[in-house]
Amino acid sequence: MFRTALRNVLAHKARLLMTVLAVMLGVAFVSGTLVFTDTLGNAFRNQSAKSYDDVAVAVTTYANQRDEKTPGITAATLKKIQGLDGVGTATGRVDGFAGVADPDGKLIGNGWTNTGSNFSPGKNGKDSAYTFVDGKGPDAADRIALDEQTAKKGKYHVGDPVRVATNGPVKEYTLAGVFTTEDGTVNAGGSLVLFDTPVAQKLYLRPGEFRDVNISAAAGASDEKLLADVKPLLPKDAEAKTGKALADEQAEQIQKGLSGLNGMLLAFAAIALFVGVFLITNTFTMLVAQRTKELALMRAVGASRRQVKRSVLLEAAVVGAIASVIGFVLGLGLATGLRSAMSQFGGKIPAGPLIVSPTAVAAAFGVGVLITVLAAWLPARRAAKIPPVAAMNSVHATATVKSLVLRNSIGGALALLGAAGIVAGAAAGSDGRTIIGVGAFFALVGVIVLIPLLSRPVIALVRPLLKRLFGVSGKLAAQNAVRNPRRTGATASALAIGLTLVTGISVLGVTLGQAIDRMTTDNIRADYLVSMANGGSLDESALKALEKADGVAAVSPRQDAWMKFGNEEIGAAGVTPGDVSKLFTIKTVSGSVDSLTDGKIAVSEDTAKSRHWKTGDTVPVTYDDGKKASLKVGAVYEGNEFLSPVMIPKNLLDPHVAHADIREIWLKMDGGESAANEKAIVKALGDNPAMSIMDREDIRDTFGGFINTALNIMYGLLAMALIIAVLGVVNTLAMSVFERQQEIGMLRAIGLDRRRVKRMIRLEAVVISLFGAVIGIGLGTFLGWAIGQTLKSDIPHYALVIPWDRIGIFLVLAALVGVLASLWPARSAAKLNMLTAIKTE
């Protein structure tokens, strides 16, 4: 039976090609994902371990420049650590944000990975953490060193002036040296600026203090003993761990971080393979039907049902194994390509070999062979059931009325159960997403089971149009599309699954995008928003500079503060009285926001309700410095996503904070947005590359841009499933043409020319594709609505938006898929020799 199976595979190479392609693509996705994430994890783990190679003990404090209560490591403590037995070196570190401007004044890097630290040389004048490729470390207050990649991007050389921004005004330094390092931030594509130690301490902490200390061990010293000796010398809240423990922790964090990416990519691989199941099942069903006589002869000469079934399954296993081998090789290429793509988009990955784990190999081959065999099981079962005599007389074992009734009943029950689950989940709000997920699964399975039943009435609706527009070719195409409802259903199902997901994601994405757009448009009156590129706090000097800038009509910070109202901490924001109402749309429930000018506070409606406050109430407050006061509620306003629960005049807040925590500064300009006004803001800020200046369009893009990015990623990942669906249409048409050679020959003999034969095949493909698309778009829109209902309470201005333009594009693309998929089968049908075709059995 194995030889028979192998012979059949070799005899039907062309017909099994699409099955091989479908399995191959799915396996490539699975193996590529596993190899890519294994390679990524290994590279980052090796880099992490390498960065701790010379660290026996690492000391970490939570010292902050804005928090005087939490001490760092003083110079005296560092000296004590250096004097311990077994200590080789003990290096103090202090770091924070530092942005380097390129020659055009733009920030090099993205803000989040722009770092500054101190250069801490030992007795030999070198800092072991950095290897200088040019120049030397900074040895004066006006000198810095840059990592090699940042120097290249900025085209800087030793001796050049470099503008560097920290949280204060921009300063110009002289470049003393260029270095390489194993620092994870730099290896991830960030930038690193090294300052002289006293300068870094003043910028990021306090003179004479370090935030962290890295300790190396002398020859023969024990890391654990060093750890025990160091701990008693440390201030309260400081942590000390061995370098090995920290490397292990980072490795675990890397693994957790990559597991999310791994899971997402594998989920899309699973979708692609699920779609492939329909193609494989269809292929083997048609092959079995075409080999009815052959299978009957096998039964007649003594083959049992089990042997016939085993023969078909062995064919599937051989096909799956071949596809898995090719898919695995493609997966290795995919993993290499993903790695290169990440590097091209700025995500620098540490050097390292491609990791091919036994798990990746086993998963790839296991999935490929298992999916193919499972998909071929039903056709194999049907093959084994064909009676020898009936098969030898070419009487096809058609589905009985009982089997069709049972199939449609099961499909109807599953679809209704799924729809009920989706509706119930939508009604449950934010707690109903799991219910919707389960309901979606049952609904999708139910619809797939029912698709053959739905094909006849749905395609019957377009039959008159096809006949009117395309004549005989249109009429024949509509009849052919419903001649074998199961085959049409299986082919359309693959497209339906892909478009269900694409449409659901589109409905949800467009709806959320427009809700966020309305949120920004309705709530913001300001023309510009100024913030730090790294999301940190702005210096007070930036606010003062903007208050004096030309053309500024209104300016207010959002100065974050946590204050105790009674015994409960509530987030508050210091704002500029009078100006804040010009910058935001503030709808008051009671009182007036202008009361801020009189030293009163304004609170959001939700905050007021939960604490039973009303306008005119006096509430006790404890500031961050511990001082207490009583403040009067001057206004209650409707919730605004850009305002804090409590607004307090900035002048009341300032005396109680050592450093103002200003996250944003909002501006209204005379004449609104303009190039001249933006230039005035840039000039007022001292042309600081580390400060982000956004107009209203930029603000909308910042809040809604991630949705479009996520949509594009989803579309890209789902493309694999749609490609497999297209292969399914090609496969069905090609094998259908092979089955209908005699029929096509007869049509040609009675006058149907080649052009109309091609048109008939093309229209058949378009009808099947559009049928699957309509089913998928309908189900996807339903799912998008349901998931949106669970988000409604968390997103103000939420209203369902049906993206008719995108749905129209999906339908056009589905029709185009049909046309493209039919090119080869239509050409093959048109080229058939009519006399040879008529004689074909």
Side-chain angles (χ1 to χ4, degrees), residues 629-696:
S630 295
L631 297 174
K632 185 171 282 189
V633 178
V636 175
Y637 57 87
E638 290 182 13
N640 184 317
E641 291 70 35
F642 297 93
L643 298 175
S644 294
V646 176
M647 287 192 291
I648 182 171
K650 186 179 186 304
N651 61 311
L652 285 184
L653 193 61
D654 282 346
H656 303 283
V657 293
H659 301 279
D661 188 10
I662 301 172
R663 298 286 168 170
E664 299 165 353
I665 301 175
W666 296 84
L667 297 152
K668 184 81 174 172
M669 306 295 289
D670 292 328
E673 299 172 24
S674 69
N677 279 336
E678 187 167 338
K679 190 175 180 180
I681 295 170
V682 171
K683 184 179 177 183
L685 294 171
D687 199 12
N688 191 326
M691 291 188 185
S692 167
I693 301 168
M694 293 188 282
D695 59 21
R696 291 169 69 88

Side-chain angles (χ1 to χ4, degrees), residues 655-781:
H656 303 283
V657 293
H659 301 279
D661 188 10
I662 301 172
R663 298 286 168 170
E664 299 165 353
I665 301 175
W666 296 84
L667 297 152
K668 184 81 174 172
M669 306 295 289
D670 292 328
E673 299 172 24
S674 69
N677 279 336
E678 187 167 338
K679 190 175 180 180
I681 295 170
V682 171
K683 184 179 177 183
L685 294 171
D687 199 12
N688 191 326
M691 291 188 185
S692 167
I693 301 168
M694 293 188 282
D695 59 21
R696 291 169 69 88
E697 188 66 33
D698 293 331
I699 295 167
R700 282 198 292 267
D701 290 344
T702 298
F703 286 93
F706 72 95
I707 291 176
N708 291 327
T709 302
L711 275 177
N712 291 334
I713 291 171
M714 295 290 186
Y715 289 155
L717 292 171
L718 286 171
M720 185 74 75
L722 292 174
I723 289 170
I724 293 174
V726 173
L727 294 177
V729 179
V730 175
N731 200 41
T732 298
L733 289 172
M735 298 186 79
S736 178
V737 167
F738 179 82
E739 282 182 351
R740 287 154 41 198
Q741 285 185 68
Q742 191 176 58
E743 175 191 316
I744 293 169
M746 290 293 294
L747 289 170
R748 293 272 290 111
I750 61 175
L752 196 68
D753 60 24
R754 289 184 176 183
R755 183 172 57 84
R756 283 189 287 181
V757 168
K758 283 184 180 180
R759 185 184 297 166
M760 176 185 74
I761 302 297
R762 277 198 295 267
L763 287 173
E764 183 180 342
V766 170
V767 166
I768 293 172
S769 297
L770 285 175
F771 170 57
V774 168
I775 297 293
I777 288 169
L779 190 54
T781 303

Side-chain angles (χ1 to χ4, degrees), residues 327-471:
F328 186 73
V329 173
L330 281 178
L332 296 180
L334 179 64
T336 306
L338 283 171
R339 183 172 175 169
S340 300
M342 280 189 72
S343 298
Q344 289 293 322
F345 286 103
K348 192 175 177 184
I349 300 171
L354 203 66
I355 302 299
V356 182
S357 67
T359 304
V361 177
F365 284 87
V367 163
V369 174
L370 185 65
I371 289 290
T372 313
V373 170
L374 285 176
W377 183 78
L378 275 176
R381 188 168 173 268
R382 290 194 198 108
K385 279 185 167 184
I386 298 173
V389 175
M392 292 180 75
N393 285 310
S394 298
V395 180
H396 214 359
T398 56
T400 63
V401 174
K402 181 181 176 182
S403 71
L404 291 173
V405 169
L406 181 63
R407 176 193 175 106
N408 295 334
S409 299
I410 292 172
L414 288 173
L416 286 173
L417 180 64
I422 292 169
V423 172
S430 58
D431 297 326
R433 287 164 204 159
T434 304
I435 301 172
I436 289 175
V438 174
F441 174 76
F442 282 110
L444 195 58
V445 172
V447 168
I448 288 168
V449 173
L450 284 174
I451 273 184
L453 176 67
L454 296 172
S455 63
R456 287 185 182 277
V458 172
I459 293 175
L461 292 174
V462 298
R463 188 182 297 170
L465 181 64
L466 289 172
K467 184 177 179 182
R468 192 178 303 118
L469 292 176
F470 302 103

Side-chain angles (χ1 to χ4, degrees), residues 249-266:
E249 280 183 15
Q250 280 202 7
E252 188 177 342
Q253 289 170 0
I254 289 166
Q255 196 64 38
K256 285 180 181 176
L258 290 173
S259 64
L261 173 66
N262 199 37
M264 182 183 74
L265 292 174
L266 287 176

